[in-house]
Amino acid sequence: MALAFASTNARNPNIVVIMTDDQGYADISYNPRHAKEVSTPHMDRLAKEGVFFSQAYTSGVVCSPTRAGLMLGRYQQRVGIYTAGEGGNGFDPNMKIFPSYLPEEYSSMAIGKWHLGLDADFPELKWHAVNRGFDEAFKFMGRGAHDYFEQKGIKGDYAPIYRNKERLEGDEYEGYLTTRLSEEAVAFIDREKDNPFFLYLAYNAVHTPAQAPQEDIDFYKNKFPHLSETRATLMAMLKHLDDGVGMVVDKLKQEKLWDNTLLFFLTDNGGAAAMDADNGHLRDFKQSVYEGGIRTPWMISWPDRFKGGSVVDIPIISFDILPTVMDALGESPPEAKGFDGKSILPLIEGKSKVHHDVLYWDTADPKKGWAVRKGDWKLKGNAKAIELYDLKKDPSEATDLAKRHPEKVKSLHALYTAWRAEMPVPNSELPKVKK
């Protein structure tokens, strides 16, 4: 465990959340099972200097649900979000989310992929980040993907990029999107370095479309000729992503802000098969409740509060971030009683060895199904079958133990059934309201 030590900094910590998109569990070279073409020195440095969680999860199997859960500190199913479509449509715009929980002294900025509401109501933009508590934004409001070079979404939809509530046009948007997002993050830190801030840096890399500067793609194709075109492009995209993480961390260090910055790094779900991502020893990919769809590389750093260089193997989940921040700030808002997430600081500081008793996942899809984890046991079900795995002995979920342990299946299924009964139906199943 990382040992805690008292901070001499009287200022509240800066909060930085870096979320990558569809990054494979083994597409980080800190993972000892990474392929030889993977090189992420800046992410590796972050993992080595901070605390790495080896059993960290996302609350969704795709992009938007995880983002909703992170912003709420709760299971996103509590607001009817089970799918990317539901999350992309947004939820109650009057509901309090992450930045609104922070003290007034904080400035905040959302950068990159939003995926929590569209802009069909422009110019009202009730689902826009700056109407949800953020002070600034540089982000796109389309669905899950955006072209990396042009102002359009993956299927040709407009998907405008906004600076605050103003749509960027023409010469205002140039360059490679991953780099532009990193530059915006560095500029925000520079503007707000004298005051506490919250930076939500949500990269859309390495999500489709497979795009990167050609010279970088050619480098990987030439150095690793066995790679598919998609995999070579993914590696080029990953390079720019890793460089961006390095830019942000280096800026924090240059401005002497690093020690008093509480920084989280994670991805939004497992790596995507469509991008030839590598989830290592974990089974399956994005959109699955197997470990390959919900396990994330997770690092946390706050040198003023705890030492780095350690690994914690207790399961945590993405909606733990907001409660952790509240704990770090000593804040206890009334809404915190409704959090499903819990602060992970006691785990890092060795004050606790237990965290969530049970964790749940649900896609509301008969094929993709649901899962529940209690201790080392995980039950996974869909319309066709129920499977049971001992994750301590079998993290790759290779051996189904359901027939050998029927009582364990029964007890876990009862937990899931009770939890699911508390959740509302998916928003997509609600009656359509006539306008």
Side-chain angles (χ1 to χ4, degrees):
M1 294 291 182
L3 299 177
F5 56 98
S7 169
T8 58
N9 198 323
R11 175 175 136 174
N12 271 336
N14 307 304
I15 310 299
V16 177
V17 176
I18 300 177
M19 175 175 278
T20 65
D21 198 344
D22 291 3
Q23 183 179 356
Y25 192 71
D27 283 334
I28 174 174
S29 46
Y30 181 77
N31 187 325
R33 294 183 173 92
H34 72 86
K36 59 183 179 181
E37 67 268 16
V38 177
S39 176
T40 56
H42 300 295
M43 295 179 191
D44 295 359
R45 180 181 62 171
L46 185 56
K48 292 172 183 176
E49 292 183 4
V51 176
F52 185 87
F53 279 81
S54 63
Q55 295 193 73
Y57 289 100
T58 60
S59 63
V61 303
V62 288
C63 315
S64 183
T66 294
R67 295 160 199 272
L70 187 153
M71 285 291 156
L72 292 165
R74 301 192 290 165
Y75 284 104
Q76 63 276 0
Q77 289 89 351
R78 294 194 186 279
V79 294
I81 294 177
Y82 295 74
T83 69
E86 291 155 355
N89 287 334
F91 54 92
D92 184 354
N94 296 311
M95 187 170 288
K96 194 172 179 178
I97 63 172
F98 205 131
S100 296
Y101 285 97
L102 301 177
E104 286 293 325
E105 67 193 83
Y106 276 80
S107 56
S108 58
M109 186 171 189
I111 297 177
K113 179 173 175 174
W114 186 235
H115 210 183
L116 293 174
L118 302 175
D119 62 346
D121 64 338
F122 181 83
E124 181 184 355
L125 296 172
K126 58 179 171 287
W127 287 292
H128 194 291
V130 296
N131 284 334
R132 303 297 302 272
F134 283 94
D135 297 305
E136 298 184 53
F138 184 88
K139 65 184 185 64
F140 63 92
M141 287 191 70
R143 288 292 180 179
H146 197 283
D147 192 280
Y148 287 85
F149 294 102
E150 299 181 45
Q151 268 281 38
K152 63 181 183 180
I154 187 171
K155 295 181 180 179
D157 55 307
Y158 178 42
I161 289 179
Y162 284 84
R163 181 175 299 285
N164 301 325
K165 293 176 69 175
E166 185 176 337
R167 290 176 171 176
L168 299 187
E169 302 285 354
D171 294 340
E172 294 177 285
Y173 176 72
E174 293 181 343
Y176 185 62
L177 185 54
T178 302
T179 303
R180 287 291 298 112
L181 300 182
S182 304
E183 291 169 345
E184 289 291 333
V186 168
F188 172 74
I189 294 169
D190 192 62
R191 290 195 299 276
E192 301 298 333
K193 59 190 174 187
D194 294 329
N195 301 294
F197 58 79
F198 168 43
L199 170 62
Y200 174 56
L201 176 54
Y203 288 104
N204 58 312
V206 291
H207 194 292
T208 55
Q211 295 176 329
Q214 191 59 49
E215 61 269 25
D216 297 315
I217 299 173
D218 291 342
F219 169 82
Y220 284 97
K221 289 171 66 176
N222 293 331
K223 187 172 182 179
F224 305 100
H226 68 286
L227 298 182
S228 66
E229 180 77 19
T230 300
R231 180 71 177 170
T233 304
L234 175 65
M235 290 298 100
M237 297 169 74
L238 185 63
K239 176 190 182 300
H240 286 270
L241 180 59
D242 185 65
D243 287 345
V245 172
M247 288 171 60
V248 172
V249 172
D250 287 346
K251 178 63 175 178
L252 291 167
K253 291 183 175 181
Q254 290 165 9
E255 300 296 343
K256 302 189 184 309
L257 301 171
W258 176 247
D259 287 352
N260 196 36
T261 294
L262 174 56
L263 184 148
F264 302 84
F265 174 98
L266 72 162
T267 191
D268 60 351
N269 44 248
M275 285 293 293
D276 288 352
D278 183 2
N279 290 322
H281 68 297
L282 303 179
R283 181 172 176 177
D284 220 343
F285 295 90
K286 171 186 179 180
Q287 302 191 44
S288 169
V289 293
Y290 286 117
E291 295 291 285
I294 54 177
R295 191 85 75 90
T296 172
W298 177 306
M299 292 88 85
I300 180 173
S301 172
W302 186 9
D304 264 358
R305 177 72 177 259
F306 52 81
K307 294 181 180 179
S310 64
V311 177
V312 176
D313 61 3
I314 298 169
I316 61 172
I317 195 164
S318 49
F319 53 63
D320 287 335
I321 292 179
L322 177 55
T324 301
V325 170
M326 292 295 95
D327 184 19
L329 298 178
E331 298 282 334
S332 299
E335 298 90 344
K337 295 179 180 179
F339 288 164
D340 292 306
K342 299 171 64 176
S343 173
I344 62 176
L345 293 181
L347 302 180
I348 295 172
E349 296 173 345
K351 298 176 181 178
S352 176
K353 293 185 178 180
V354 296
H355 198 49
H356 292 288
D357 183 44
V358 189
L359 290 172
Y360 303 93
W361 296 267
D362 198 316
T363 68
D365 184 314
K367 293 182 179 179
K368 297 174 184 176
W370 51 269
V372 54
R373 174 172 177 169
K374 181 177 174 62
D376 292 321
W377 291 98
K378 178 180 173 184
L379 192 71
K380 182 233 179 239
N382 60 21
K384 291 185 177 181
I386 291 182
E387 303 163 12
L388 178 69
Y389 299 98
D390 181 346
L391 295 178
K392 184 175 184 178
K393 297 178 181 178
D394 181 23
S396 300
E397 297 170 296
T399 305
D400 177 10
L401 302 175
K403 292 183 179 179
R404 299 186 207 175
H405 300 278
E407 290 303 314
K408 182 65 67 175
V409 171
K410 183 179 179 180
S411 64
L412 289 175
H413 192 266
L415 287 173
Y416 164 73
T417 301
W419 173 82
R420 186 64 170 82
E422 296 178 5
M423 302 298 126
V425 299
N427 289 344
S428 59
E429 296 180 11
L430 294 173
K432 302 299 181 183
V433 178
K434 293 183 179 180
K435 296 183 180 181

